[in-house]
Structures are given as structure tokens and as C-alpha cells.
Amino acid sequence: MVETLSSLTVSTRLRRIAEMALDRGRVFTTLAHLIDMQLLRESFRRLRRQAAAGTDGRTKAEYAEDLESNLTDLHRRLTSREYRATPARRMWIPKGDGGKRQLSIPALEDKIVQKATSLLLEAVYERDFYDFSYGFRPGRNAHQALSRLWHQTTELGGVWLIDADIRGYFSHVPHGKLKEVLQRRVNDGGLLRLVGKWLKVGALEGDSVVRATSGVPEGGVISPVLSNVYLHEALDAWFAEEVQPRLKGRSFLIRYADDFVIGCELEEDARRVLDVLPKRLAVYGLELHPDKTRLVRFRRPARHDDRDDGNGTFEFLGFTHHWGRGRSGSWVVKRRTSAKRLRRAMSAITAWCKRHRHDSLHAQSQVLSVKLHGHYSYYGIKGNSGGIRCYHRHIERAWHKWLARRGGRPLSWKKLKATAAFRRLPPPRLVHTAEQLMLSGQPIVV
């Protein structure tokens, strides 16, 4: 009951901030005092239960054993300015291109305060963000971005599309410029000091702390909202307010975090945008990747043309977008799992089957079922039945391969298929069968 009342109080406060933020010229100078016990309690509640521990080694369950005492002490340190950020734990995640992505896992108390700060910033900036921004925002997800892109390209009959990639976005955001951007809307010294602590504290790698003079720590709770705020000004507002009004044809921008595509009805417009885009991003210390940024002719082929020669494909949010024949025989925009994402997923499942081949069949079946459901929930969209069937078949083959190498009498394919564990694997299914686009006031194509 206490938790419910606390959540309601926090929601009321956040709504009040959001109402004040309707005044686009308003600058918020007093927000830090709102990080009180109620907001800290709500922030703790919203943290993921199974999130990885930082350098402090504390988990959410352990912290909850004496929650009120721990939060009271944390609040005291915040109000007396004794709070100190702890260096994050550095992790390296393999990327599809063979490289590695670095993640910084904050300590638990840093996560709590970062969550509280992000809730306040979201209440302010959600009123400013454009409808074509989908990444890490309340009530928005990647499937809505994909659906909007499908509608945009279909309605225009295809586009000249800028498939853009910002080189190392999370590690190149200049701290000084980010602070300038924040101060235009949130000029609260206490809140800005907290953000500065998290940006500068660095990460523990081995026995030494590595500090950075630029970048937003990927993996931090505060990072998504800071990234959205920065790209809102560097890209979104610039495109909507300065670029679109000057273009001759229709156009659109769709962004999910630092992944974005720009579509133009006319080739001339697309080339003009591609010419000025690097200059605009350079003002904010960002750079387009020269090898991964390209202009794609993505147009509907002629009515009676059986070939799609001259029409490029592009990747966005894990899917390859291409033109193909629909059931009626007409050309439609289709999506399939991108080859590199599929290879990465299949390699990961093969490695898992090898590591866990000595576990019981029941235990392996449970985990594999969860992995299949997770894959279907993202990649199971209309038109991608081939991609999810391919993943399902690979899991069956990889599972059998490593079960047959457990030693002793080999398990034949026929015997594996007859087991209850095998039959429990969920068959391929499309989760997102209907094209649903959630709009909030702006037209589909401008």
C-alpha cells in the first residue's frame, strides 16, 4: 500500500513537470530537490531485478533487505553533497562486424540516482521530442519505428534513402557540448553536477580506472535519455525545422537512439541532405561513418518488371528491407532478419548448446524455449516467416549435434524428436502480424 501511494505521488509530480514543460521556452532551474525518498523508492522499484551488478557487487535483492535504511542514507548523502559516484564496471560485448562494444555497468546506488534523474529529465523532454523518435522512450519501441518506416516507404512508392551510421556515437559525445544542450532546458546546478559525476567517474578495467573526456557511458541508466536529448537538438529539431521546409518533395526521418534513416521522395533532395548532414553533426562533435553511410535507391519496380535490379536494400533495427512480390503479385516492402544478426544469433546458440550439453534434457529444453520465444517476439513480424524458421531449424540441429557428443551411446535424431523435451520447443510463429502505427498528432509523411 505504501509503495502504491509513493508511486502515485511520484506520477503526479512528474505529470506536473510535464504540464509546465508544455511551455517550450521555460527553463527548469529547480528540479534536484525533487529527488527525495519517494522518488528514490520509485526509482529502485523500476530497476530491472536481474540487472548485472556493478563494481560494488550489490544486487537489487540484497539492497532490498534493508531498503528504507539504505535509501535514507543515500538521500542524506545526496542532500549534504556527500554522494560520490562509483567507477562503473567495464564489459566488452562482441559485435557482428568482429569488433567489440564496451558497456559500463554502474554501481547499484548510482543506478538508483540515475533512474531518478532520468525520470525528471523525461518529464521535461518528452514534450520536446518529435514523434519520429522511438528509442528508449515511454510507450515506444522498435516495432513501431519499423511499422512507421514500412508505411512511409509504401505510401511514397519507395524513396531515396540515406542509410546513416554515426561513428562510435556513445563514445564521442562531447561533455561540454552536452552540458550546453541540457542547460537550454534544464539549468539546475544540482542536477547538472550529478550528470557530470557520472560522465567523468570512468570505468574500472582491470586494476585501473579509465576516465573519458567525451562520451555517454553505454549501459548507464541515465545514458538513453541523455543520448535522446543530444540527438534531438543535433539532428531531429534541425531536420524538422530547418531541412524539411526547404526540400521540394516529401521526406521523413525515423530515429531509434543513434540509428536513423532519412527518406526523400526526390533524389535531388536526398543528395542535398546527405551533403549537409556531416557538417551539421560535426558542429556537435559527431561524425558519419564513411563506409557505413550511403544513399540507397529504394523504389518500387515497374508494374510488370520481374526484377528488382537497381533497387538497393538497407538494414534498420536488425531487419533487411527490400522490395518483393506480395500474395496478390504486386510489389510490396518486405523485411527479413538481417544476415549478420541471424549469423550472430545462430553462433550464440551453437556455443550455448556446446557449453550446456551435459545438462538434463528438460533444463536445456526450458532455456532453448525461452530463447526461441525471445527471438519470435522481436523477429516474428509479417513477411519474416523464413527468417524465424531458419533460426528454429538451426536450434534443432545444433542441439542434436552437441547432445550426440555427450559421450556414451549417441542420441539419434529420431529418438530426440520423440522426447517430451524436444516437443516442448515452441514452433516458429509470427508475433506481430498486423501493421500497427501509433501516431500522436503528426502526419505520416511531411
Side-chain angles (χ1 to χ4, degrees), residues 244-286:
Q244 274 191 319
R246 292 178 170 85
L247 299 181
K248 297 179 180 179
R250 293 176 292 176
S251 62
F252 63 84
L253 164 66
I254 297 175
R255 182 174 67 81
Y256 189 92
D258 61 322
D259 293 330
F260 68 94
V261 290
I262 297 175
C264 296
E265 187 178 18
L266 305 176
E267 180 183 5
E268 175 189 354
D269 287 342
R271 294 193 180 279
R272 288 174 60 195
V273 175
L274 186 56
D275 181 58
V276 298
L277 181 59
K279 302 171 187 175
R280 171 67 181 185
L281 294 179
V283 173
Y284 289 82
L286 304 175

Side-chain angles (χ1 to χ4, degrees), residues 14 50 99 138 146 159 163 232-233 245 257 261 271 273 279-280 295 304 312 315 343 350 356 379 387 392 403 427 432:
L14 295 178
Q50 302 300 328
L146 289 165
V159 291
D163 182 10
H232 167 76
E233 178 163 322
V261 290
R271 294 193 180 279
V273 175
K279 302 171 187 175
R280 171 67 181 185
L295 181 63
H304 302 294
E315 294 185 8
R343 285 195 300 270
T350 299
H356 296 270
Y379 292 103
H392 182 270
L403 285 176
H432 310 278

Side-chain angles (χ1 to χ4, degrees), residues 30-59:
T30 54
L31 288 176
H33 73 282
L34 296 176
I35 304 180
D36 56 10
M37 282 292 293
Q38 288 179 320
L39 185 56
L40 291 174
R41 196 178 293 116
E42 177 66 11
S43 300
F44 175 82
R45 186 184 70 82
R46 297 195 187 192
L47 292 181
R48 290 194 300 114
R49 184 174 300 176
Q50 302 300 328
T55 50
D56 60 344
R58 302 176 83 177
T59 64

Side-chain angles (χ1 to χ4, degrees), residues 90 102 104 170-173 175 196 198-203 209-217:
R90 178 68 51 83
Q102 68 174 37
S104 298
F170 283 93
S171 59
H172 286 85
V173 175
H175 292 170
W198 300 319
L199 293 178
K200 296 175 182 177
V201 70
V209 176
V210 179
R211 305 186 190 277
T213 57
S214 65
V216 177

Side-chain angles (χ1 to χ4, degrees), residues 292-308:
K292 297 182 180 180
T293 301
R294 61 197 182 107
L295 181 63
V296 181
R297 179 181 181 270
F298 192 73
R299 309 288 295 183
R300 179 187 290 123
R303 183 181 298 273
H304 302 294
D305 190 358
D306 290 331
R307 303 167 303 170
D308 57 0

Side-chain angles (χ1 to χ4, degrees), residues 26-227:
R26 186 186 189 105
V27 179
F28 291 82
T29 57
T30 54
L31 288 176
H33 73 282
L34 296 176
I35 304 180
D36 56 10
M37 282 292 293
Q38 288 179 320
L39 185 56
L40 291 174
R41 196 178 293 116
E42 177 66 11
S43 300
F44 175 82
R45 186 184 70 82
R46 297 195 187 192
L47 292 181
R48 290 194 300 114
R49 184 174 300 176
Q50 302 300 328
T55 50
D56 60 344
R58 302 176 83 177
T59 64
K60 186 176 180 180
E62 293 170 348
Y63 199 81
E65 292 175 1
D66 194 9
L67 181 61
E68 288 304 306
S69 176
N70 288 329
L71 291 181
T72 299
D73 181 61
L74 175 59
H75 181 251
R76 178 192 61 77
R77 284 180 279 129
L78 284 168
T79 54
S80 63
R81 295 192 182 182
E82 296 177 25
Y83 166 78
R84 297 290 182 270
T86 304
R89 180 166 67 89
R90 178 68 51 83
M91 291 179 60
W92 294 93
I93 306 298
K95 296 172 63 176
D97 58 5
K100 291 186 178 182
R101 172 182 285 111
Q102 68 174 37
L103 294 182
S104 298
I105 311 301
L108 184 65
E109 287 194 334
D110 290 337
K111 290 180 183 179
I112 297 171
V113 185
Q114 286 186 26
K115 187 63 179 180
T117 305
S118 68
L119 289 174
L120 295 175
L121 292 178
E122 280 178 1
V124 174
Y125 284 101
E126 276 297 316
R127 298 296 186 175
D128 295 349
F129 291 158
Y130 285 93
D131 192 54
F132 50 74
S133 167
Y134 288 90
F136 306 110
R137 293 181 58 191
R140 289 171 170 262
N141 57 51
H143 289 106
Q144 292 171 7
L146 289 165
S147 184
R148 183 167 189 148
L149 178 58
W150 185 89
H151 280 277
Q152 300 276 31
T153 51
T154 300
E155 180 164 326
L156 290 177
V159 291
W160 288 89
L161 188 132
I162 300 172
D163 182 10
D165 183 272
I166 300 177
R167 189 200 293 268
Y169 171 71
F170 283 93
S171 59
H172 286 85
V173 175
H175 292 170
K177 192 70 175 178
L178 174 59
K179 184 179 179 181
E180 288 179 22
V181 171
L182 285 170
Q183 284 178 319
R184 296 190 183 111
R185 198 73 159 107
V186 178
N187 194 13
D188 182 320
L191 219 59
L192 293 176
R193 276 193 296 272
L194 285 175
V195 172
K197 290 176 187 290
W198 300 319
L199 293 178
K200 296 175 182 177
V201 70
L204 187 64
E205 192 166 5
D207 296 327
S208 59
V209 176
V210 179
R211 305 186 190 277
T213 57
S214 65
V216 177
E218 193 170 0
V221 178
I222 192 69
S223 300
V225 67
L226 292 180
S227 300

Side-chain angles (χ1 to χ4, degrees), residues 145-159 161 252 298-301 308 311-314 316 319-336 381-384 435:
L146 289 165
S147 184
R148 183 167 189 148
L149 178 58
W150 185 89
H151 280 277
Q152 300 276 31
T153 51
T154 300
E155 180 164 326
L156 290 177
V159 291
L161 188 132
F252 63 84
F298 192 73
R299 309 288 295 183
R300 179 187 290 123
D308 57 0
N311 275 289
T313 64
F314 67 93
F316 186 60
F319 290 90
T320 297
H321 300 251
H322 63 101
W323 287 96
R325 294 286 189 181
R327 291 184 178 180
S328 64
S330 59
W331 289 102
V332 295
V333 177
K334 292 190 171 185
R335 289 82 55 92
R336 62 176 181 264
I381 68 173
K382 184 179 179 181
N384 191 36
E435 293 295 342

